[in-house]
Amino acid sequence: MNNWQTSSTRRPKCLFWAALLLLTILAAAGSLWLGSVAISPAEVFSALLGQGGNSTAAKIVLFSRLPRTLAALLSGAALAVSGAVIQTVLNNPLASPGIIGVNSGAGLAVALLCAAAPAAQRFSAVAAFIGALLSVLLVLGLSERTGASRITLVLAGVAISNLFSAGIDTVVTFVPDALSGVSDFRIGGFHGVTMARLTLPAVLIAVSLLAVCSLSQQLDVLALGSDTARSLGLPVGSVRFLLLVLAAALSGAAVSFSGLLGFVGLIVPHAMRRLVGADSFPLLVASALGGACFVTICDLLARVLFAPFELPVGVVLAFAGVPFFLWLLFRQRGGRT
């Protein structure tokens, strides 16, 4: 009986992971295949295998759709895992990189770098990481020093986010060429992303994802509360700081090439937590896959819904994210404010 129960429990989990992985692969394949220009699956495979020559289809796949697909996968995974970490560390289900100002802080750092040293734009991922880290530490400091409630902390984060957004506008006003396509950057999107631009952020995201997953046990202990974690021998301060550094690296690297995408770090961790539970390791892996799949599908919809016209993917994410955030906010109305 026990063996039957164990096998029946494992089967739905295996089916879930297989379905999530398959959906992510299908989203990536659709992103390479579908668009305003009709390209057959055979032409996509030929281009990826280097057999497309100098054909128009091969150039579109290799220089436009492939970098864009990789950008969507990377940013989705990074922002979703960053959101899962921030929610756990701050013990706040309403927190996410886009809502509490982390993304805006990264964007302001990128704008300052591009204005001060245009030739150093290849280091925008590093600047975005620094800006994101300062932002998340500011929010953590507000949380610890003021003892703010969950909703009050989110409102403070929204104010910080608006402050940094105003900083971006100020930089662009005085140095109009600081951010090329500033409106796309503010909304978020992948238009014009190249493989060269993705290299450094991709490395930073990959290393940070591995590091966060290796700290999943510490994240589980931290989720029990600071006092309980200390009683179990966890160095709460240093572990919390390290996790927030990694969360900042993930969100900052994503912002450096995707712009200020919102709501990914809010929606995906909540959805995955309902599906896989609160244990950190499966939650982090599911968030990475779910975020990659979600952003890739949203970007695909942004490209094909009104083809040949294209929406910034941030618009599609906003339509999905704002109602979800309001629902979460009203769920918290019975808590301390």
Side-chain angles (χ1 to χ4, degrees):
M1 183 66 176
N2 289 334
N3 291 335
W4 179 84
Q5 289 177 339
T6 301
S7 62
S8 63
T9 302
R10 288 176 180 173
R11 191 175 297 113
K13 291 182 179 179
C14 292
L15 290 175
F16 165 77
W17 289 110
L20 182 59
L21 181 60
L22 178 61
L23 187 59
T24 305
I25 293 173
L26 290 176
S31 180
L32 292 171
W33 173 27
L34 301 174
S36 58
V37 177
I39 298 177
S40 68
E43 289 175 315
V44 172
F45 279 113
S46 296
L48 294 177
L49 294 175
Q51 300 173 355
N54 292 321
S55 65
T56 301
K59 291 178 180 178
I60 292 174
V61 171
L62 295 177
F63 299 109
S64 177
R65 293 187 185 175
L66 180 59
R68 185 163 187 158
T69 300
L70 292 175
L73 293 170
L74 286 168
S75 64
L79 292 171
V81 172
S82 179
V85 172
I86 289 174
Q87 287 169 10
T88 302
V89 171
L90 297 182
N91 189 27
N92 192 330
L94 295 171
S96 76
I99 290 174
I100 65 173
V102 179
N103 285 0
S104 296
L108 177 58
V110 171
L112 289 171
L113 174 69
C114 294
Q121 290 188 24
R122 63 184 181 275
F123 300 111
S124 60
V126 177
F129 162 65
I130 295 172
L133 178 60
L134 293 176
S135 303
V136 78
L137 292 179
L138 176 59
V139 172
L140 178 63
L142 287 174
S143 174
E144 291 187 340
R145 292 182 179 274
T146 65
S149 68
R150 291 176 175 180
I151 294 179
T152 303
L153 180 61
V154 168
L155 293 175
V158 170
I160 292 171
S161 179
N162 286 329
L163 177 64
F164 290 151
S165 295
I168 295 173
D169 290 336
T170 302
V171 172
V172 173
T173 298
F174 286 102
V175 188
D177 296 330
L179 290 175
S180 57
V182 63
S183 61
D184 289 339
F185 183 85
R186 292 291 302 272
I187 299 172
F190 307 111
H191 181 71
V193 173
T194 63
M195 296 298 289
R197 189 177 173 189
L198 282 177
T199 302
L200 181 57
V203 172
L204 186 57
I205 288 172
V207 172
S208 300
L209 286 175
L210 291 174
V212 168
C213 289
S214 71
L215 293 170
S216 60
Q217 292 184 350
Q218 288 85 343
L219 194 60
D220 281 329
V221 176
L222 192 61
L224 300 175
S226 298
D227 294 337
T228 303
R230 288 191 184 93
S231 68
L232 294 173
L234 184 75
V236 172
S238 58
V239 170
R240 178 182 286 146
F241 177 77
L242 178 57
L243 286 167
L244 289 176
V245 168
L246 293 172
L250 289 168
S251 59
V255 166
S256 69
F257 62 83
S258 68
L260 305 182
L261 292 180
F263 298 109
V264 180
L266 178 72
I267 295 175
V268 176
H270 274 280
M272 293 301 110
R273 195 174 284 111
R274 286 177 172 270
L275 293 171
V276 303
D279 289 344
S280 293
F281 185 77
L283 175 62
L284 293 172
V285 176
S287 294
L289 288 174
C293 180
F294 178 58
V295 174
T296 303
I297 290 175
C298 287
D299 183 55
L300 180 58
L301 292 174
R303 286 158 47 194
V304 303
L305 282 179
F306 302 100
F309 301 101
E310 180 180 313
L311 286 174
V313 66
V315 173
V316 180
L317 289 171
F319 278 120
V322 170
F324 188 85
F325 175 70
L326 292 175
W327 174 72
L328 280 178
L329 190 65
F330 284 119
R331 280 191 64 191
Q332 301 294 317
R333 67 185 183 277
R336 180 169 60 92
T337 58

Tab-separated table of all heavy atoms in Angstrom, residues 23-24 27 72 76 262-265 267-268 288-301 313 316-317 320-321:
chain	number	residue	atom	x	y	z
A	23	LEU	N	6.813	22.463	-22.333
A	23	LEU	CA	6.202	23.744	-22.676
A	23	LEU	C	7.264	24.810	-22.919
A	23	LEU	O	7.137	25.642	-23.829
A	23	LEU	CB	5.258	24.174	-21.548
A	23	LEU	CG	4.390	25.418	-21.813
A	23	LEU	CD1	3.515	25.204	-23.032
A	23	LEU	CD2	3.537	25.732	-20.586
A	24	THR	N	8.329	24.794	-22.129
A	24	THR	CA	9.429	25.747	-22.321
A	24	THR	C	10.116	25.526	-23.663
A	24	THR	O	10.422	26.481	-24.394
A	24	THR	CB	10.449	25.620	-21.181
A	24	THR	OG1	9.787	25.779	-19.917
A	24	THR	CG2	11.536	26.670	-21.309
A	27	ALA	N	7.812	26.717	-26.395
A	27	ALA	CA	7.791	28.183	-26.459
A	27	ALA	C	9.024	28.702	-27.192
A	27	ALA	O	8.930	29.613	-28.028
A	27	ALA	CB	7.714	28.768	-25.053
A	72	ALA	N	14.797	36.212	-24.035
A	72	ALA	CA	13.540	35.978	-23.321
A	72	ALA	C	13.698	34.854	-22.303
A	72	ALA	O	13.226	34.959	-21.157
A	72	ALA	CB	12.431	35.645	-24.317
A	76	GLY	N	13.560	35.782	-18.309
A	76	GLY	CA	12.454	35.184	-17.584
A	76	GLY	C	12.926	34.345	-16.419
A	76	GLY	O	12.406	34.452	-15.293
A	262	GLY	N	8.413	44.113	-15.945
A	262	GLY	CA	7.770	44.027	-14.645
A	262	GLY	C	6.958	42.764	-14.484
A	262	GLY	O	6.605	42.088	-15.448
A	263	PHE	N	6.677	42.435	-13.235
A	263	PHE	CA	5.714	41.417	-12.822
A	263	PHE	C	6.163	39.974	-13.009
A	263	PHE	O	5.500	39.070	-12.493
A	263	PHE	CB	4.362	41.616	-13.525
A	263	PHE	CG	3.711	42.927	-13.198
A	263	PHE	CD1	3.640	43.931	-14.149
A	263	PHE	CD2	3.187	43.169	-11.944
A	263	PHE	CE1	3.048	45.145	-13.851
A	263	PHE	CE2	2.593	44.374	-11.637
A	263	PHE	CZ	2.523	45.365	-12.592
A	264	VAL	N	7.257	39.719	-13.722
A	264	VAL	CA	7.700	38.333	-13.881
A	264	VAL	C	8.082	37.743	-12.524
A	264	VAL	O	7.699	36.626	-12.182
A	264	VAL	CB	8.900	38.247	-14.844
A	264	VAL	CG1	9.348	36.793	-15.013
A	264	VAL	CG2	8.554	38.856	-16.189
A	265	GLY	N	8.826	38.520	-11.742
A	265	GLY	CA	9.259	38.054	-10.435
A	265	GLY	C	8.151	37.991	-9.408
A	265	GLY	O	8.370	37.492	-8.294
A	267	ILE	N	4.564	37.130	-10.505
A	267	ILE	CA	3.589	36.146	-10.955
A	267	ILE	C	4.150	34.724	-10.888
A	267	ILE	O	3.528	33.816	-10.331
A	267	ILE	CB	3.135	36.462	-12.389
A	267	ILE	CG1	2.385	37.790	-12.433
A	267	ILE	CG2	2.259	35.349	-12.945
A	267	ILE	CD1	2.009	38.218	-13.840
A	268	VAL	N	5.327	34.524	-11.462
A	268	VAL	CA	5.846	33.165	-11.632
A	268	VAL	C	6.131	32.471	-10.301
A	268	VAL	O	5.710	31.321	-10.109
A	268	VAL	CB	7.088	33.174	-12.536
A	268	VAL	CG1	7.691	31.774	-12.635
A	268	VAL	CG2	6.728	33.694	-13.920
A	288	ALA	N	12.604	29.076	-12.499
A	288	ALA	CA	13.489	29.332	-13.641
A	288	ALA	C	12.842	28.868	-14.940
A	288	ALA	O	12.797	29.615	-15.934
A	288	ALA	CB	14.832	28.631	-13.429
A	289	LEU	N	12.305	27.647	-14.948
A	289	LEU	CA	11.655	27.135	-16.157
A	289	LEU	C	10.370	27.903	-16.454
A	289	LEU	O	10.102	28.270	-17.603
A	289	LEU	CB	11.355	25.645	-15.990
A	289	LEU	CG	12.551	24.694	-16.039
A	289	LEU	CD1	12.112	23.276	-15.702
A	289	LEU	CD2	13.223	24.725	-17.398
A	290	GLY	N	9.569	28.132	-15.410
A	290	GLY	CA	8.308	28.844	-15.610
A	290	GLY	C	8.519	30.268	-16.080
A	290	GLY	O	7.794	30.762	-16.949
A	291	GLY	N	9.513	30.954	-15.512
A	291	GLY	CA	9.799	32.320	-15.940
A	291	GLY	C	10.286	32.376	-17.371
A	291	GLY	O	9.870	33.238	-18.162
A	292	ALA	N	11.181	31.452	-17.750
A	292	ALA	CA	11.674	31.401	-19.119
A	292	ALA	C	10.527	31.158	-20.098
A	292	ALA	O	10.418	31.822	-21.138
A	292	ALA	CB	12.730	30.303	-19.252
A	293	CYS	N	9.655	30.212	-19.754
A	293	CYS	CA	8.518	29.893	-20.618
A	293	CYS	C	7.540	31.065	-20.706
A	293	CYS	O	7.092	31.432	-21.798
A	293	CYS	CB	7.815	28.653	-20.074
A	293	CYS	SG	6.388	28.121	-21.017
A	294	PHE	N	7.231	31.676	-19.568
A	294	PHE	CA	6.249	32.752	-19.515
A	294	PHE	C	6.679	33.956	-20.337
A	294	PHE	O	5.914	34.487	-21.155
A	294	PHE	CB	6.029	33.144	-18.050
A	294	PHE	CG	5.070	34.277	-17.844
A	294	PHE	CD1	3.762	34.201	-18.303
A	294	PHE	CD2	5.461	35.423	-17.159
A	294	PHE	CE1	2.868	35.243	-18.103
A	294	PHE	CE2	4.581	36.467	-16.950
A	294	PHE	CZ	3.279	36.371	-17.429
A	295	VAL	N	7.914	34.396	-20.165
A	295	VAL	CA	8.389	35.575	-20.893
A	295	VAL	C	8.511	35.275	-22.387
A	295	VAL	O	8.187	36.127	-23.228
A	295	VAL	CB	9.735	36.060	-20.318
A	295	VAL	CG1	10.308	37.198	-21.164
A	295	VAL	CG2	9.547	36.544	-18.890
A	296	THR	N	8.950	34.071	-22.734
A	296	THR	CA	9.072	33.717	-24.146
A	296	THR	C	7.708	33.707	-24.826
A	296	THR	O	7.558	34.200	-25.958
A	296	THR	CB	9.744	32.341	-24.293
A	296	THR	OG1	11.015	32.363	-23.642
A	296	THR	CG2	9.963	32.004	-25.760
A	297	ILE	N	6.699	33.157	-24.156
A	297	ILE	CA	5.342	33.155	-24.721
A	297	ILE	C	4.808	34.578	-24.848
A	297	ILE	O	4.209	34.942	-25.874
A	297	ILE	CB	4.406	32.293	-23.854
A	297	ILE	CG1	4.777	30.815	-23.988
A	297	ILE	CG2	2.946	32.506	-24.255
A	297	ILE	CD1	3.994	29.892	-23.075
A	298	CYS	N	5.022	35.408	-23.827
A	298	CYS	CA	4.561	36.797	-23.893
A	298	CYS	C	5.252	37.552	-25.024
A	298	CYS	O	4.620	38.346	-25.739
A	298	CYS	CB	4.812	37.499	-22.561
A	298	CYS	SG	3.706	36.983	-21.224
A	299	ASP	N	6.550	37.313	-25.210
A	299	ASP	CA	7.265	37.974	-26.302
A	299	ASP	C	6.753	37.496	-27.645
A	299	ASP	O	6.619	38.293	-28.593
A	299	ASP	CB	8.764	37.701	-26.175
A	299	ASP	CG	9.571	38.413	-27.243
A	299	ASP	OD1	9.438	39.642	-27.369
A	299	ASP	OD2	10.313	37.735	-27.974
A	300	LEU	N	6.454	36.209	-27.764
A	300	LEU	CA	5.910	35.676	-29.009
A	300	LEU	C	4.553	36.304	-29.318
A	300	LEU	O	4.278	36.688	-30.455
A	300	LEU	CB	5.794	34.155	-28.909
A	300	LEU	CG	5.244	33.420	-30.136
A	300	LEU	CD1	6.112	33.705	-31.360
A	300	LEU	CD2	5.171	31.926	-29.867
A	301	LEU	N	3.705	36.421	-28.294
A	301	LEU	CA	2.410	37.069	-28.495
A	301	LEU	C	2.580	38.524	-28.910
A	301	LEU	O	1.850	39.023	-29.770
A	301	LEU	CB	1.581	36.983	-27.210
A	301	LEU	CG	1.093	35.598	-26.800
A	301	LEU	CD1	0.405	35.659	-25.438
A	301	LEU	CD2	0.141	35.024	-27.850
A	313	VAL	N	7.200	43.670	-25.191
A	313	VAL	CA	6.750	42.562	-24.346
A	313	VAL	C	6.309	43.060	-22.970
A	313	VAL	O	5.456	42.456	-22.313
A	313	VAL	CB	7.853	41.498	-24.229
A	313	VAL	CG1	9.064	42.038	-23.478
A	313	VAL	CG2	7.317	40.254	-23.532
A	316	VAL	N	2.509	43.426	-22.731
A	316	VAL	CA	1.802	42.163	-22.507
A	316	VAL	C	1.943	41.725	-21.054
A	316	VAL	O	0.978	41.274	-20.420
A	316	VAL	CB	2.341	41.073	-23.457
A	316	VAL	CG1	1.612	39.746	-23.225
A	316	VAL	CG2	2.199	41.507	-24.908
A	317	LEU	N	3.139	41.861	-20.487
A	317	LEU	CA	3.355	41.491	-19.090
A	317	LEU	C	2.537	42.364	-18.151
A	317	LEU	O	2.040	41.892	-17.121
A	317	LEU	CB	4.848	41.604	-18.751
A	317	LEU	CG	5.760	40.549	-19.379
A	317	LEU	CD1	7.209	40.896	-19.138
A	317	LEU	CD2	5.450	39.174	-18.824
A	320	ALA	N	-1.027	41.212	-17.925
A	320	ALA	CA	-1.149	40.019	-17.098
A	320	ALA	C	-0.828	40.307	-15.636
A	320	ALA	O	-1.444	39.728	-14.730
A	320	ALA	CB	-0.213	38.923	-17.621
A	321	GLY	N	0.131	41.207	-15.385
A	321	GLY	CA	0.640	41.393	-14.040
A	321	GLY	C	-0.166	42.307	-13.149
A	321	GLY	O	-0.286	42.055	-11.943
